[in-house]
Protein backbone atom coordinates (compact mmCIF):
# COMPACT_ATOMS: atom_id res chain seq x y z
CA UNK A 1 0.00 0.00 0.00
CA UNK A 2 1.06 3.59 -0.57
CA UNK A 3 1.39 5.74 2.56
CA UNK A 4 3.94 8.20 3.97
CA UNK A 5 6.76 8.01 6.46
CA UNK A 6 9.44 10.13 8.16
CA UNK A 7 12.61 9.14 6.31
CA UNK A 8 16.23 9.84 6.97
CA UNK A 9 18.02 10.17 3.63
CA UNK A 10 21.39 11.39 4.90
CA UNK A 11 23.13 11.91 8.23
CA UNK A 12 22.91 15.18 10.17
CA UNK A 13 19.77 16.20 8.33
CA UNK A 14 16.16 16.32 9.55
CA UNK A 15 13.55 13.62 8.96
CA UNK A 16 11.65 14.17 5.69
CA UNK A 17 8.06 12.98 5.27
CA UNK A 18 7.90 11.26 1.87
CA UNK A 19 5.67 8.77 0.09
CA UNK A 20 6.52 5.15 0.90
CA UNK A 21 5.21 1.76 -0.15
CA UNK A 22 4.55 -0.73 2.66
CA UNK A 23 4.31 -4.39 1.62
CA UNK A 24 1.50 -6.76 2.57
CA UNK A 25 2.14 -9.23 5.39
CA UNK A 26 3.70 -12.55 4.38
CA UNK A 27 3.64 -15.64 6.60
CA UNK A 28 4.22 -14.75 10.30
CA UNK A 29 3.58 -11.04 9.73
CA UNK A 30 0.77 -8.59 10.46
CA UNK A 31 -0.10 -5.14 9.16
CA UNK A 32 -0.86 -2.44 11.68
CA UNK A 33 -2.55 0.92 11.44
CA UNK A 34 -0.36 3.02 13.69
CA UNK A 35 -2.26 5.40 15.99
CA UNK A 36 0.58 6.85 18.04
CA UNK A 37 4.40 6.79 17.99
CA UNK A 38 6.77 7.92 20.73
CA UNK A 39 9.80 10.02 19.90
CA UNK A 40 12.61 8.14 21.66
CA UNK A 41 16.11 9.58 21.74
CA UNK A 42 17.34 6.37 20.04
CA UNK A 43 15.79 7.47 16.72
CA UNK A 44 17.69 10.72 17.04
CA UNK A 45 20.90 8.65 17.33
CA UNK A 46 20.16 7.45 13.78
CA UNK A 47 20.22 11.02 12.47
CA UNK A 48 23.74 11.66 13.85
CA UNK A 49 25.13 8.28 12.81
CA UNK A 50 25.84 7.37 16.49
CA UNK A 51 23.68 4.31 15.77
CA UNK A 52 24.44 3.21 12.20
CA UNK A 53 21.59 2.08 9.96
CA UNK A 54 21.27 1.64 6.19
CA UNK A 55 19.91 4.77 4.44
CA UNK A 56 17.27 5.68 3.60
CA UNK A 57 15.86 4.73 6.97
CA UNK A 58 12.32 4.99 8.32
CA UNK A 59 12.36 6.12 11.97
CA UNK A 60 10.29 5.01 14.91
CA UNK A 61 10.40 2.00 17.22
CA UNK A 62 7.88 3.10 19.85
CA UNK A 63 4.26 2.74 18.84
CA UNK A 64 0.76 1.40 19.27
CA UNK A 65 -2.09 0.75 16.86
CA UNK A 66 -4.69 -1.65 15.48
CA UNK A 67 -4.11 -4.85 13.51
CA UNK A 68 -5.53 -4.48 9.99
CA UNK A 69 -4.22 -7.60 8.19
CA UNK A 70 -3.01 -10.96 9.45
CA UNK A 71 -0.57 -13.16 7.49
CA UNK A 72 -0.59 -16.97 7.33
CA UNK A 73 0.60 -18.81 10.42
CA UNK A 74 -0.14 -16.01 12.87
CA UNK A 75 -2.05 -17.15 15.94
CA UNK A 76 -3.29 -15.04 18.83
CA UNK A 77 -3.69 -11.86 16.77
CA UNK A 78 -6.76 -10.82 14.79
CA UNK A 79 -7.93 -7.82 12.78
CA UNK A 80 -9.09 -5.09 15.16
CA UNK A 81 -6.78 -6.07 18.02
CA UNK A 82 -5.10 -3.18 19.82
CA UNK A 83 -1.35 -3.74 20.05
CA UNK A 84 1.93 -2.32 21.30
CA UNK A 85 5.10 -2.72 19.25
CA UNK A 86 8.05 -4.36 20.98
CA UNK A 87 11.45 -3.24 19.73
CA UNK A 88 13.06 -6.68 20.16
CA UNK A 89 11.12 -9.44 18.36
CA UNK A 90 12.44 -12.26 20.59
CA UNK A 91 12.52 -15.67 18.86
CA UNK A 92 12.23 -17.75 22.04
CA UNK A 93 14.69 -20.32 20.70
CA UNK A 94 18.21 -18.84 20.61
CA UNK A 95 20.59 -19.33 23.58
CA UNK A 96 19.82 -15.95 25.29
CA UNK A 97 16.06 -16.48 24.85
CA UNK A 98 16.33 -20.01 26.27
CA UNK A 99 18.29 -18.66 29.24
CA UNK A 100 15.40 -16.25 29.89
CA UNK A 101 17.12 -13.13 28.50
CA UNK A 102 14.66 -12.39 25.72
CA UNK A 103 15.68 -8.73 25.45
CA UNK A 104 19.06 -10.12 24.32
CA UNK A 105 17.58 -12.34 21.58
CA UNK A 106 20.09 -13.06 18.81
CA UNK A 107 17.68 -11.41 16.38
CA UNK A 108 19.00 -8.15 17.86
CA UNK A 109 21.91 -8.52 15.44
CA UNK A 110 19.67 -7.99 12.38
CA UNK A 111 17.42 -5.22 13.71
CA UNK A 112 19.35 -2.43 11.99
CA UNK A 113 19.82 -4.39 8.77
CA UNK A 114 16.46 -3.40 7.33
CA UNK A 115 15.39 -6.81 6.02
CA UNK A 116 12.23 -8.46 7.36
CA UNK A 117 12.79 -11.47 9.63
CA UNK A 118 10.09 -13.50 7.90
CA UNK A 119 11.71 -13.74 4.44
CA UNK A 120 14.81 -11.52 4.36
CA UNK A 121 13.33 -9.00 1.91
CA UNK A 122 12.46 -5.29 2.31
CA UNK A 123 8.98 -4.46 3.49
CA UNK A 124 9.31 -0.69 2.94
CA UNK A 125 10.28 1.11 -0.28
CA UNK A 126 10.56 4.76 -1.30
CA UNK A 127 10.54 4.95 -5.09
CA UNK A 128 13.33 2.65 -6.24
CA UNK A 129 15.03 2.63 -2.80
CA UNK A 130 14.79 -0.15 -0.23
CA UNK A 131 14.17 1.49 3.16
CA UNK A 132 15.51 0.28 6.55
CA UNK A 133 12.78 0.60 9.19
CA UNK A 134 14.17 1.30 12.70
CA UNK A 135 14.31 -2.00 14.61
CA UNK A 136 12.32 -3.56 11.74
CA UNK A 137 9.34 -1.47 12.89
CA UNK A 138 9.09 2.10 11.53
CA UNK A 139 6.38 3.69 13.66
CA UNK A 140 6.97 7.08 12.00
CA UNK A 141 4.47 5.98 9.33
CA UNK A 142 0.69 5.52 9.59
CA UNK A 143 0.95 1.85 8.54
CA UNK A 144 3.54 -0.84 9.10
CA UNK A 145 3.99 -4.51 8.28
CA UNK A 146 5.94 -6.33 11.00
CA UNK A 147 6.80 -9.77 12.36
CA UNK A 148 4.27 -11.25 14.78
CA UNK A 149 6.96 -11.44 17.48
CA UNK A 150 7.17 -7.62 17.46
CA UNK A 151 3.52 -7.35 18.46
CA UNK A 152 1.93 -7.54 21.91
CA UNK A 153 -1.86 -7.45 22.25
CA UNK A 154 -3.28 -5.08 24.88
CA UNK A 155 -6.68 -4.12 26.26
CA UNK A 156 -8.48 -1.73 23.90
CA UNK A 157 -9.18 0.79 26.67
CA UNK A 158 -5.56 1.93 26.96
CA UNK A 159 -5.15 5.29 25.15
CA UNK A 160 -2.83 4.89 22.14
CA UNK A 161 -0.47 7.71 23.17
CA UNK A 162 0.27 6.02 26.49
CA UNK A 163 0.33 2.56 24.93
CA UNK A 164 2.93 3.78 22.43
CA UNK A 165 5.48 4.73 25.06
CA UNK A 166 4.92 1.40 26.79
CA UNK A 167 6.76 -0.01 23.75
CA UNK A 168 10.18 1.38 24.72
CA UNK A 169 10.51 4.17 27.32
CA UNK A 170 8.46 2.53 30.04
CA UNK A 171 9.76 -1.08 29.88
CA UNK A 172 13.36 0.02 29.27
CA UNK A 173 13.43 2.48 32.18
CA UNK A 174 11.24 0.54 34.60
CA UNK A 175 13.04 -2.74 33.91
CA UNK A 176 16.46 -1.10 34.31
CA UNK A 177 15.52 -0.72 37.97
CA UNK A 178 13.41 -3.81 38.65
CA UNK A 179 15.10 -6.44 36.45
CA UNK A 180 18.63 -5.21 35.81
CA UNK A 181 19.56 -3.28 38.98
CA UNK A 182 17.21 -5.44 41.09
CA UNK A 183 16.36 -2.55 43.42
CA UNK A 184 15.18 -3.66 46.87
CA UNK A 185 12.87 -1.89 49.34
CA UNK A 186 14.89 0.60 51.35
CA UNK A 187 17.56 1.12 48.66
CA UNK A 188 18.87 4.54 47.71
CA UNK A 189 18.54 4.92 43.94
CA UNK A 190 20.04 7.67 41.77
CA UNK A 191 18.66 8.25 38.27
CA UNK A 192 20.89 10.32 35.99
CA UNK A 193 18.81 11.92 33.19
CA UNK A 194 15.03 11.99 33.57
CA UNK A 195 13.59 12.02 30.06
CA UNK A 196 11.26 9.27 28.86
CA UNK A 197 13.54 6.44 29.96
CA UNK A 198 14.76 8.03 33.19
CA UNK A 199 11.26 9.03 34.38
CA UNK A 200 10.18 5.41 33.88
CA UNK A 201 13.23 4.25 35.86
CA UNK A 202 12.31 6.72 38.57
CA UNK A 203 8.83 5.23 38.80
CA UNK A 204 10.34 1.75 38.97
CA UNK A 205 12.39 2.89 41.96
CA UNK A 206 9.34 4.42 43.68
CA UNK A 207 7.25 1.29 43.14
CA UNK A 208 10.12 -0.95 44.32
CA UNK A 209 10.09 0.84 47.68
CA UNK A 210 13.33 2.80 47.35
CA UNK A 211 13.95 4.96 50.42
CA UNK A 212 15.65 7.82 48.57
CA UNK A 213 14.91 8.41 44.88
CA UNK A 214 17.44 10.92 43.57
CA UNK A 215 16.91 12.48 40.13
CA UNK A 216 19.78 14.30 38.41
CA UNK A 217 19.10 16.40 35.31
CA UNK A 218 20.40 19.81 34.18
CA UNK A 219 16.92 20.89 32.96
CA UNK A 220 14.81 22.57 35.65
CA UNK A 221 11.51 21.41 34.10
CA UNK A 222 12.71 17.79 34.30
CA UNK A 223 13.67 18.19 37.96
CA UNK A 224 10.27 19.72 38.77
CA UNK A 225 8.53 16.87 36.97
CA UNK A 226 10.74 14.30 38.71
CA UNK A 227 9.42 15.48 42.08
CA UNK A 228 5.84 15.02 40.79
CA UNK A 229 6.72 11.46 39.75
CA UNK A 230 8.10 10.68 43.21
CA UNK A 231 11.73 11.84 43.41
CA UNK A 232 12.75 12.64 46.97
CA UNK A 233 15.81 14.72 45.98
CA UNK A 234 16.84 16.46 42.74
CA UNK A 235 20.19 17.88 41.58
CA UNK A 236 21.30 19.50 38.30
CA UNK A 237 24.56 17.54 37.86
CA UNK A 238 26.27 14.45 39.21
CA UNK A 239 29.05 16.65 40.62
CA UNK A 240 26.51 18.72 42.56
CA UNK A 241 24.82 15.58 43.89
CA UNK A 242 27.93 14.15 45.60
CA UNK A 243 28.11 16.30 48.75
CA UNK A 244 24.37 16.22 49.57
CA UNK A 245 24.28 12.46 48.88
CA UNK A 246 27.13 11.93 51.36
CA UNK A 247 25.04 13.77 53.99
CA UNK A 248 21.83 11.96 53.05
CA UNK A 249 23.28 8.45 53.15
CA UNK A 250 25.88 8.83 55.95
CA UNK A 251 28.51 8.41 53.25
CA UNK A 252 27.11 5.16 51.89
CA UNK A 253 25.87 6.69 48.56
CA UNK A 254 23.42 5.03 46.10
CA UNK A 255 22.86 1.29 46.22
CA UNK A 256 21.83 1.51 42.57
CA UNK A 257 22.59 4.19 39.96
CA UNK A 258 20.85 4.26 36.58
CA UNK A 259 22.32 6.37 33.76
CA UNK A 260 19.62 7.39 31.27
CA UNK A 261 21.13 10.51 29.69
CA UNK A 262 20.38 11.26 26.04
CA UNK A 263 23.98 10.97 24.85
CA UNK A 264 26.22 8.67 26.83
CA UNK A 265 29.88 9.65 27.10
CA UNK A 266 32.75 7.64 28.56
CA UNK A 267 33.64 10.14 31.31
CA UNK A 268 30.13 9.82 32.79
CA UNK A 269 30.97 6.31 34.03
CA UNK A 270 33.46 7.54 36.63
CA UNK A 271 31.06 10.26 37.82
CA UNK A 272 28.21 7.78 38.16
CA UNK A 273 30.42 5.21 39.91
CA UNK A 274 31.36 7.92 42.44
CA UNK A 275 27.65 8.19 43.29
CA UNK A 276 27.41 4.39 43.65
CA UNK A 277 27.89 2.63 47.00
CA UNK A 278 30.38 -0.10 47.92
CA UNK A 279 29.02 -3.32 46.35
CA UNK A 280 26.50 -1.11 44.54
CA UNK A 281 25.42 -1.44 40.91
CA UNK A 282 25.50 1.16 38.16
CA UNK A 283 23.30 0.41 35.13
CA UNK A 284 24.04 2.07 31.78
CA UNK A 285 20.87 2.54 29.73
CA UNK A 286 21.81 5.71 27.82
CA UNK A 287 23.51 5.14 24.49
CA UNK A 288 26.66 6.63 23.01
CA UNK A 289 28.10 6.26 19.53
CA UNK A 290 28.69 2.66 18.43
CA UNK A 291 32.34 3.49 17.73
CA UNK A 292 33.09 4.99 21.19
CA UNK A 293 35.45 2.78 23.19
CA UNK A 294 36.97 5.09 25.82
CA UNK A 295 35.63 5.01 29.37
CA UNK A 296 36.88 6.88 32.42
CA UNK A 297 36.88 4.65 35.48
CA UNK A 298 39.00 4.51 38.63
CA UNK A 299 39.96 0.85 38.40
CA UNK A 300 41.46 0.76 41.91
CA UNK A 301 38.22 1.88 43.57
CA UNK A 302 36.10 -0.21 41.20
CA UNK A 303 37.93 -3.32 42.37
CA UNK A 304 38.46 -2.47 46.02
CA UNK A 305 34.87 -1.33 46.59
CA UNK A 306 33.54 -4.34 44.67
CA UNK A 307 31.15 -2.38 42.47
CA UNK A 308 29.18 -3.66 39.49
CA UNK A 309 28.74 -1.91 36.14
CA UNK A 310 25.98 -3.34 33.94
CA UNK A 311 24.49 -2.66 30.54
CA UNK A 312 20.75 -2.73 29.87
CA UNK A 313 18.72 -3.34 26.78
CA UNK A 314 14.93 -3.07 26.83
CA UNK A 315 14.82 -3.34 30.63
CA UNK A 316 16.21 -6.87 30.70
CA UNK A 317 12.81 -8.52 30.33
CA UNK A 318 10.53 -10.14 27.79
CA UNK A 319 8.00 -7.85 26.14
CA UNK A 320 5.28 -10.51 26.30
CA UNK A 321 5.73 -10.68 30.09
CA UNK A 322 6.61 -7.07 30.87
CA UNK A 323 3.95 -5.34 28.75
CA UNK A 324 0.93 -6.92 30.50
CA UNK A 325 2.59 -6.27 33.86
CA UNK A 326 3.18 -2.59 33.06
CA UNK A 327 -0.26 -2.12 31.51
CA UNK A 328 -1.69 -3.61 34.72
CA UNK A 329 0.28 -1.18 36.87
CA UNK A 330 -0.88 1.68 34.63
CA UNK A 331 -4.55 0.65 34.80
CA UNK A 332 -4.36 0.35 38.57
CA UNK A 333 -3.13 3.96 38.72
CA UNK A 334 0.27 3.05 40.19
CA UNK A 335 2.28 3.77 37.04
CA UNK A 336 1.87 7.28 35.63
CA UNK A 337 2.11 6.98 31.86
CA UNK A 338 -0.44 9.57 30.61
CA UNK A 339 1.51 12.16 32.62
CA UNK A 340 4.71 11.31 30.72
CA UNK A 341 3.19 12.33 27.36
CA UNK A 342 4.04 16.03 27.47
CA UNK A 343 3.11 17.02 23.89
CA UNK A 344 1.62 15.44 20.78
CA UNK A 345 2.60 16.27 17.19
CA UNK A 346 1.53 15.57 13.59
CA UNK A 347 3.94 13.37 11.65
CA UNK A 348 4.74 16.43 9.51
CA UNK A 349 5.97 18.23 12.65
CA UNK A 350 8.34 15.45 13.73
CA UNK A 351 11.44 17.66 13.54
CA UNK A 352 9.79 20.20 15.88
CA UNK A 353 9.15 17.31 18.27
CA UNK A 354 12.81 16.29 18.19
CA UNK A 355 13.89 19.90 18.69
CA UNK A 356 11.62 20.04 21.75
CA UNK A 357 13.28 16.85 23.05
CA UNK A 358 16.73 18.40 22.61
CA UNK A 359 15.53 21.63 24.26
CA UNK A 360 14.35 19.64 27.31
CA UNK A 361 10.67 20.56 26.86
CA UNK A 362 9.22 17.04 26.86
CA UNK A 363 9.27 14.03 29.12
CA UNK A 364 8.05 12.29 25.96
CA UNK A 365 6.76 13.77 22.71
CA UNK A 366 4.31 11.55 20.81
CA UNK A 367 3.16 11.60 17.18
CA UNK A 368 -0.59 11.16 16.94
CA UNK A 369 -2.11 9.83 13.70
CA UNK A 370 -5.66 10.66 12.60
CA UNK A 371 -8.03 9.88 9.69
CA UNK A 372 -6.14 12.48 7.68
CA UNK A 373 -3.02 10.25 7.86
CA UNK A 374 -4.64 6.87 7.10
N1 LIG B 1 19.27 0.58 26.41
C1 LIG B 1 18.11 0.60 25.79
O1 LIG B 1 17.47 -0.43 25.56
C2 LIG B 1 17.55 1.91 25.38
C3 LIG B 1 16.22 2.03 24.94
C4 LIG B 1 15.71 3.28 24.64
C5 LIG B 1 16.52 4.41 24.75
N2 LIG B 1 17.82 4.26 25.13
C6 LIG B 1 18.70 5.41 25.29
O2 LIG B 1 18.43 6.00 26.57
C7 LIG B 1 18.81 7.38 26.53
C8 LIG B 1 17.67 8.23 27.05
O3 LIG B 1 16.60 8.21 26.11
P1 LIG B 1 15.36 9.21 26.28
O4 LIG B 1 14.45 8.94 25.12
O5 LIG B 1 14.85 9.16 27.66
O6 LIG B 1 16.11 10.63 26.04
P2 LIG B 1 15.64 12.11 26.48
O7 LIG B 1 16.39 13.03 25.59
O8 LIG B 1 14.15 12.18 26.51
O9 LIG B 1 16.14 12.23 27.98
C9 LIG B 1 17.50 12.36 28.31
C10 LIG B 1 17.60 13.20 29.58
O10 LIG B 1 18.96 13.25 30.01
C11 LIG B 1 19.23 14.55 30.49
N3 LIG B 1 20.69 14.75 30.46
C12 LIG B 1 21.48 15.02 29.41
N4 LIG B 1 22.77 15.11 29.80
C13 LIG B 1 22.78 14.89 31.14
C14 LIG B 1 23.80 14.84 32.14
N5 LIG B 1 25.08 15.03 31.82
N6 LIG B 1 23.45 14.59 33.42
C15 LIG B 1 22.15 14.37 33.76
N7 LIG B 1 21.14 14.41 32.85
C16 LIG B 1 21.45 14.66 31.56
C17 LIG B 1 18.44 15.45 29.55
O11 LIG B 1 18.21 16.74 30.10
C18 LIG B 1 17.15 14.66 29.38
O12 LIG B 1 16.20 15.00 30.36
C19 LIG B 1 19.19 7.66 25.07
O13 LIG B 1 20.60 7.54 24.94
C20 LIG B 1 18.50 6.55 24.31
O14 LIG B 1 19.12 6.27 23.08
C21 LIG B 1 18.34 3.05 25.46
ZN1 LIG C 1 13.48 3.71 22.43
ZN1 LIG D 1 15.96 -15.40 20.58
Amino acid sequence: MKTKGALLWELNSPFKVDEIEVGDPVEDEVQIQVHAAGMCHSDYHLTTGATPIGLPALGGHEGAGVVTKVGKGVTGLAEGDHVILAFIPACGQCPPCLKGFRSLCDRGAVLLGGKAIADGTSRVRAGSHEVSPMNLLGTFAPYMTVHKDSVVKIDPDVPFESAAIMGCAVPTGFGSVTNVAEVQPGDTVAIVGVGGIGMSALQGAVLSGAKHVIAIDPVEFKREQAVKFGATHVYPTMAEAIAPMIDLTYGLMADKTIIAVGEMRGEMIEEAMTLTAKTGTCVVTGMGAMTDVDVKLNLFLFTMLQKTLKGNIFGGGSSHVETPRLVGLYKSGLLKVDEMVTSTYRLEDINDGYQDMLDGKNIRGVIKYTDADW
Side-chain angles (χ1 to χ4, degrees):
M1 67 183 302
K2 282 203 182 341
T3 180
K4 60 185 174 179
L7 299 182
L8 184 67
W9 288 93
E10 53 187 338
L11 296 184
N12 302 311
S13 65
F15 285 105
K16 189 164 173 287
V17 178
D18 279 320
E19 186 178 89
I20 57 169
E21 175 99 34
V22 173
D24 268 342
V26 300
E27 189 165 356
D28 288 339
E29 290 187 332
V30 296
Q31 193 165 81
I32 290 162
Q33 185 184 54
V34 187
H35 284 238
M39 279 183 271
C40 180
H41 205 115
S42 298
D43 295 289
Y44 186 76
H45 288 316
L46 300 180
T47 72
T48 62
T51 300
I53 190 169
L55 300 178
L58 169 64
H61 63 282
E62 228 183 48
V66 177
V67 175
T68 46
K69 284 184 190 167
V70 179
K72 266 203 314 188
V74 177
T75 54
L77 289 169
E79 274 181 41
D81 281 350
H82 288 214
V83 295
I84 287 178
L85 280 315
F87 78 84
I88 308 278
C91 73
Q93 288 158 19
C94 68
C97 278
L98 289 172
K99 280 193 221 160
F101 298 113
R102 288 194 168 217
S103 70
L104 284 164
C105 176
D106 285 348
R107 277 182 183 161
V110 301
L111 292 186
L112 296 170
K115 300 284 196 278
I117 290 167
D119 63 1
T121 68
S122 295
R123 209 56 80 242
V124 186
R125 290 176 174 275
S128 59
H129 299 271
E130 294 186 341
V131 174
S132 310
M134 172 59 156
N135 284 45
L136 301 180
L137 295 175
T139 56
F140 296 164
Y143 284 96
M144 59 198 299
T145 295
V146 299
H147 195 274
K148 63 179 168 53
D149 293 346
S150 298
V151 180
V152 185
K153 187 175 164 178
I154 53 160
D155 292 341
D157 56 354
V158 181
F160 287 113
E161 294 89 327
S162 293
I165 71 170
M166 284 195 260
C168 173
V170 177
T172 301
F174 197 91
S176 69
V177 165
T178 55
N179 297 331
V180 184
E182 297 182 279
V183 167
Q184 303 297 312
D187 276 354
T188 292
V189 181
I191 316 283
V192 186
V194 279
I197 310 286
M199 209 61 91
S200 304
L202 191 154
Q203 296 199 67
V206 171
L207 290 172
S208 298
K211 178 173 60 181
H212 303 304
V213 180
I214 297 158
I216 298 166
D217 200 297
V219 178
E220 192 179 358
F221 166 70
K222 301 290 176 88
R223 298 198 298 276
E224 286 166 9
Q225 288 293 309
V227 170
K228 291 188 183 157
F229 283 89
T232 56
H233 302 78
V234 290
Y235 306 107
T237 63
M238 289 193 264
E240 287 166 277
I242 294 173
M245 279 177 65
I246 291 172
D247 282 349
L248 183 69
T249 64
Y250 303 99
L252 296 176
M253 309 304 274
D255 300 289
K256 309 287 159 59
T257 303
I258 312 291
I259 316 181
V261 302
E263 283 175 46
M264 192 64 210
R265 291 194 313 277
E267 67 269 20
M268 291 175 177
I269 298 292
E270 174 58 16
E271 283 191 280
M273 289 301 258
T274 306
L275 302 183
T276 308
K278 274 186 198 178
T279 73
T281 300
C282 174
V283 175
V284 182
T285 302
M287 290 168 62
M290 193 189 259
T291 48
D292 275 1
V293 291
D294 293 328
V295 164
K296 190 173 172 198
L297 178 65
N298 183 316
L299 290 171
F300 180 83
L301 291 179
F302 180 64
T303 305
M304 293 297 114
L305 304 185
Q306 208 176 305
K307 298 184 186 183
T308 300
L309 181 64
K310 276 180 125 175
N312 162 40
I313 179 158
F314 205 6
S318 162
S319 48
H320 287 79
V321 175
E322 295 294 302
T323 308
R325 191 161 80 104
L326 295 169
V327 169
L329 278 172
Y330 163 72
K331 288 178 74 168
S332 70
L334 288 166
L335 183 64
K336 299 186 182 83
V337 184
D338 298 344
E339 296 84 340
M340 283 178 52
V341 180
T342 320
S343 311
T344 57
Y345 302 84
R346 292 161 59 237
L347 181 65
E348 283 70 15
D349 298 327
I350 183 166
N351 295 309
D352 297 340
Y354 271 109
Q355 192 57 51
D356 287 347
M357 180 195 80
L358 295 174
D359 292 342
K361 291 184 181 164
N362 291 338
I363 305 301
R364 198 50 129 208
V366 171
I367 294 164
K368 212 176 152 176
Y369 298 98
T370 66
D371 285 339
D373 300 300
W374 304 311

